[in-house]
Amino acid sequence: MKHKDKDIYILGIESSCDDTSAAVLRDGLLLSNVTASQSVHEAYGGVVPELASRAHQQNIVPVVDQALKQAGIEREQLDAIAFTRGPGLMGSLLVGVSFAKGLSASLGIPLVDVNHLHGHVLAHFIHTEGDGYESPGFPFLCLLVSGGNSQIVLVKSYKDMEIVGQTIDDAAGEAIDKCSKVMGLGYPGGPIIDRLARNGNPEAFSFAKPNIQGYDYSFSGLKTSFLYSLRDWVKDDPDFVEHHKEDLAASLERTIVDILMKKLRKAAKDLGIKQVAVAGGVSANSGLRAAFLDHARRFGWKVFIPRFSYTTDNAAMIAMAGYFKYRDGDFCPISAPAYSRNIV
Ligand code: KG4
């Protein structure tokens, strides 16, 4: 039997948007996952890129220190550094990318670049000691829904992923956030809409649903329909939103979940796949989670719903994706630049 020389420690770093996060894995098991979120954007109703990169600069050192401390290791014990190379906001990415490069050079250990979207999908393989979470087998379908993306991904292996459908305009999370802004609610709107929707009637209002071919999505028509409907209703009753915010939230959520599930059902049926996962920030949504469980019952799907801490941006998923690449010796040169748009 071949004896393992030592444990493999990977540090993951995520800084693609407005969360600074660091995580440590030992032989693929999660030891720590520390995230500093940025409340500075709330006042602006959306992420302000310049403020995000400044906050990353302030947060990156303490967040990495904390992740190493919680994992109970010294930085000299690390075997590799996995980092989000893109897609994301360039000024935000540059902080994590530069930090990862500097630390890897000073420690003389390899760098592993991770595509942020692959990270979200591979969040389903994060395990802590004895957590009992069952990961999907290959191939599986993953609905990846966040503030910046809405995709149906056919996951053939850790590194072989095919986007079978995606939004042609807004992402689902972006649509929720924009509608919530129109209602005068806070930012990000997703969790607020979710909370309000629990006490509302999803049949109270109806909004435009897109009619797009294939497996692609579109959310901009829904957003416009929501805006115009609200404008008309507010003309008659200036306090319309206040009087109906729960029903509005529930109806909006229902419309978005219906749009997402319709295409996912079609893809699963056409591709003959019954293992279906959900990932990304919007996968925290209660209505979407309930729809997955409902589809499991109705269509015999085996569904995979991530823990809440792995839905929004986090470094655990980056470290996990990095671990798979590390095992293959798939390292990245120090000259590799960050990329803001998806290139892989
Ligand atoms: O994956 P993520 O953290 O960031 C990126 O887009 O990279 O996703 C953030 C998105 C936001 O649009 C936020 O409103 C949405 O996820 N979100 C939710 C919920 N929690 C976060 N949307 C609906 N229901 C939620 N509970």
Side-chain angles (χ1 to χ4, degrees), residues 116 120 146-148 173-174 176-177 188-191 194 280-282 284-285 311-313:
H116 180 79
H120 271 302
S146 68
E174 192 180 353
I176 298 177
D177 292 343
D194 191 347
V282 182
N285 181 263
T311 56
T312 46
D313 292 346

Side-chain angles (χ1 to χ4, degrees), residues 324-336:
F324 294 128
K325 289 184 88 173
Y326 177 89
R327 284 195 320 195
D328 290 345
D330 188 355
F331 305 141
C332 144
I334 198 159
S335 56

Side-chain angles (χ1 to χ4, degrees), residues 158-187:
Y158 300 116
K159 48 188 177 183
D160 189 1
M161 301 187 198
E162 185 190 332
I163 298 169
V164 293
Q166 61 187 323
T167 182
I168 57 166
D169 42 53
D170 290 355
E174 192 180 353
I176 298 177
D177 292 343
K178 284 181 179 163
C179 291
S180 135
K181 196 172 175 179
V182 169
M183 286 171 69
L185 306 173
Y187 176 86

Side-chain angles (χ1 to χ4, degrees), residues 41-43 45-46 173 176-200 241-242 244-253 281-282 284-287:
H41 308 288
E42 281 164 22
I176 298 177
D177 292 343
K178 284 181 179 163
C179 291
S180 135
K181 196 172 175 179
V182 169
M183 286 171 69
L185 306 173
Y187 176 86
I192 304 170
I193 294 287
D194 191 347
R195 207 178 51 243
L196 290 171
R198 304 285 61 81
N199 297 317
V241 172
E242 193 46 42
H244 298 280
K245 61 182 178 208
E246 276 129 356
D247 287 347
L248 283 167
S251 304
L252 173 68
E253 182 186 280
V282 182
N285 181 263
S286 320

Side-chain angles (χ1 to χ4, degrees), residues 250-312:
S251 304
L252 173 68
E253 182 186 280
R254 161 67 70 86
T255 310
I256 290 182
V257 169
D258 283 354
I259 295 170
L260 290 171
M261 296 311 288
K262 188 176 172 194
K263 291 295 174 87
L264 188 60
R265 253 187 335 262
K266 179 172 163 53
K269 186 167 172 244
D270 294 352
L271 296 167
I273 292 189
K274 295 235 176 215
Q275 290 195 97
V276 190
V278 62
V282 182
S283 68
N285 181 263
S286 320
L288 184 58
R289 288 174 167 241
F292 262 71
L293 296 176
D294 175 58
H295 278 59
R297 280 189 296 270
R298 278 167 53 206
F299 302 106
W301 287 5
K302 187 161 184 187
V303 296
F304 301 87
I305 301 172
R307 279 165 202 253
F308 283 107
S309 44
Y310 310 141
T311 56
T312 46

